[in-house]
Amino acid sequence: MSKAAASSTEIRLHGTGVSPGIARGTVFVYRTDDAVTPSRAIGEADIPGEIARFEAALLATRAQILELQQRIAESTGAKDASIFDAHLLVVEDRTLIDEVLRRLAADKMNVEHIFQAVAGRYAKTLSEIDDPYLRERALDIHDVTRRIIHNLMGTEARDLAGVTTPHILIAHNLAPSDTAQLNRALVLGFGTDIGSRTSHTAIMARSLNIPAIVGLHDASSQLATGDHVLLDGYNGLLVVNPSDQTLWEYGELEIKKTVVEEKLSELRETASTTRDGRHVILSANIELPEDMELVQQSGAEGVGLYRTEFFYLNKTGLPTEDEQYAAYRRVAEAAAPHSVIIRTLDLGGDKFMSALHMPEELNPFLGWRAIRFCLERVDIFKTQLRAILRASAVGNVKMMYPMISGVEELRRANLILEECRAELRAEGLTFSDSMEVGAMIEIPSAAIAADILAKEVQFFSIGTNDLIQYSIAVDRLNEHIAHLYEPTHPAIIRLIRMTVEAAHAHGLWVGVCGEMAGDIVLTPLLLGLGIDELSAGAGSVPRVKRAVQSLDDTACRQLIEDIRNLDCAADIFAKCDAVARAHYPELL
Ligand code: PEP
Ligand code: MG
């Protein structure tokens, strides 16, 4: 139990609520940092005892890996469990074990100290060799070393997959690949010390419908596994030792929220059309095929952004064309008769696949990522394009490229797509000739040159999450500058307007699939700017639909006139808020 929980008085920790909902339960603190190993000198007579401890730790580690492997094979399949075969080899690695025994006799230090030094050197040597296989072994050694040291020290190696009871997960940070592994049945909610609303971890929490808070400062060091907490994802509040009064108040709040949610769920079969008859397509964003269940419940008109890179994370190798085809087909069939917009691979930034060994970069969001990566790794790109084309034969599939910065990228990508079509034709495989292809507008250069890009595609989808970070130069993951991340900055509004005007002038439709699309204060703004489609997380879809149904197109157009001469984000936001409050106060 932590000091905070031991005092048994209620303590409130504040952060940013990024996924709505209330959860209460016991904490599991997930620590990815390496154990700090003690070092002490030993005598000659202690050596046999240290060897025995080492052997016992190796055996215990082996048993734990086998158990984990079994559990993962049962839940996600034998292929994902095969990653642990390499871990088992490390436990039996003779070179590593013999070196530990040799150094133990020579240096006469405790075995965890010796083992950490030897394993660290071994992993470093392998990681420096220009061979993907050996670099991967270095990662395995790192993982297994952690486990062995925890066993030597009698502490517990923390492993997300190893927690089998319902809990509230607290961590310093969670990578999108960690979040993608979360078991919704067990993780009641989560909180992290750092993070922001538009990080992919926060986006994923909303998709998974898991209440979540980020920016809790040092919650992961203040709390301990077993503490009792209440997590309020609406207001970004984590209450340790909630009092009876707090529990009662939250019970009441939950009842009210349930009534609102029930009313919203009645909207499922209704259309997202304004009071004066303008229809706006309202679709949902997904990360994994399993998200389709929530999309269907939400009443969304199909999928406006399928972030396919999540299918690549946490895999030992690259997914094959057939595996991808099966996933895309499953999504297209679940979305029918509506469409699904499959975004091609957007790896990099905050999403990495360990099997690809992408080099570490100082500025990964400005680096070798998304379409830049795909245009160099044409092998990987073509596999995906072929799978998407094949899925277009069985469902209403559209496709778009992420991170387009200029027309050359778009032309090269389209040429590769054409090659894939020719290959499939030659192989007698079917696909739709009329699949719409679009470009994401998420880099300022793309918005400014939208009239040029418009000649190469059939639609645009504005990725406001990145567009805002690149235009205002504010890292979307950094909680210290989150206040500068302003969707209503006049420059952002100008870029959106330029994109819409260029699209409409060329007969293209244009959507917004960034988090702005799910923010109901901004719905009047986006409608007023002429956006044709909004794609939001499934959890936000009913509220956005209610907002659209409560608005008049004329009021939204008037809003654009009213903000035309305003020069700062806060004033523009206030005008949007006033229109929203005038039309749907109950939602705010
Ligand atoms: C965006 O940038 O707005 C977007 C939708 O893409 P992602 O959030 O995956 O970067
Ligand atoms: Mg983006």
Side-chain angles (χ1 to χ4, degrees), residues 213-431:
I213 308 177
V214 301
L216 282 165
H217 309 290
D218 57 354
S220 72
S221 42
Q222 278 200 50
L223 297 177
T225 296
D227 288 352
H228 287 280
V229 296
L230 180 145
L231 184 148
D232 170 1
Y234 296 105
N235 300 301
L237 187 65
L238 188 73
V239 187
V240 189
N241 294 329
S243 66
D244 289 346
Q245 173 67 18
T246 300
L247 290 173
W248 181 82
E249 282 168 13
Y250 272 96
E252 292 293 294
L253 182 69
E254 268 176 307
I255 294 169
K256 277 194 205 142
K257 295 280 183 198
T258 312
V259 173
V260 174
E261 299 297 321
E262 273 168 11
K263 276 210 178 130
L264 287 175
S265 71
E266 290 165 10
L267 300 179
R268 186 158 54 176
E269 305 300 332
T270 64
S272 45
T273 304
T274 61
R275 291 200 307 202
D276 49 358
R278 175 175 160 207
H279 181 68
V280 179
I281 295 173
L282 176 56
S283 44
N285 296 348
I286 63 163
E287 280 76 50
L288 294 166
E290 297 87 79
D291 299 339
M292 285 310 290
E293 205 180 306
L294 284 177
V295 172
Q296 285 166 325
Q297 286 164 17
S298 75
E301 223 177 307
V303 173
L305 165 63
Y306 175 6
R307 292 183 165 97
T308 53
E309 54 279 0
F310 281 84
F311 196 63
Y312 290 66
L313 306 180
N314 303 315
K315 291 252 188 309
T316 45
L318 287 161
T320 64
E321 179 182 317
D322 282 345
E323 280 170 336
Q324 293 187 59
Y325 168 66
Y328 304 155
R329 181 181 178 148
R330 184 174 153 200
V331 172
E333 283 173 349
H338 305 302
S339 61
V340 47
I341 303 179
I342 303 180
R343 172 172 79 184
T344 60
L345 194 54
D346 187 10
L347 279 179
D350 61 348
K351 292 167 292 194
F352 293 98
M353 184 189 186
S354 53
L356 272 175
H357 303 294
M358 290 167 79
E360 243 181 64
E361 296 180 329
L362 282 178
N363 286 309
F365 270 103
L366 300 182
W368 191 47
R369 54 170 298 205
I371 196 72
R372 302 165 182 186
F373 170 83
C374 287
L375 290 175
E376 277 189 41
R377 289 299 307 265
V378 176
D379 53 330
I380 295 175
F381 194 33
K382 277 179 103 174
T383 306
Q384 180 174 42
L385 294 180
R386 285 173 56 101
I388 296 173
L389 281 167
R390 285 172 57 197
S392 74
V394 290
N396 186 350
V397 170
K398 301 180 168 81
M399 184 190 93
M400 63 183 176
Y401 306 117
M403 296 288 297
I404 291 292
S405 63
V407 77
E408 293 89 347
E409 283 161 346
L410 212 42
R411 288 191 184 134
R412 283 176 59 203
N414 276 339
L415 272 180
I416 297 170
L417 181 66
E418 210 37 69
E419 272 175 38
C420 293
R421 288 196 180 107
E423 280 174 20
L424 292 177
R425 251 182 236 117
E427 291 165 34
L429 291 165
T430 50
F431 58 90

Side-chain angles (χ1 to χ4, degrees), residues 75 160 163 167 178-188 208 210:
S75 58
L160 276 183
V163 195
H167 58 279
D178 291 326
T179 319
Q181 286 184 69
L182 296 182
N183 180 341
R184 317 174 193 206
L186 297 177
V187 182
L188 308 172
L208 293 169
I210 298 178

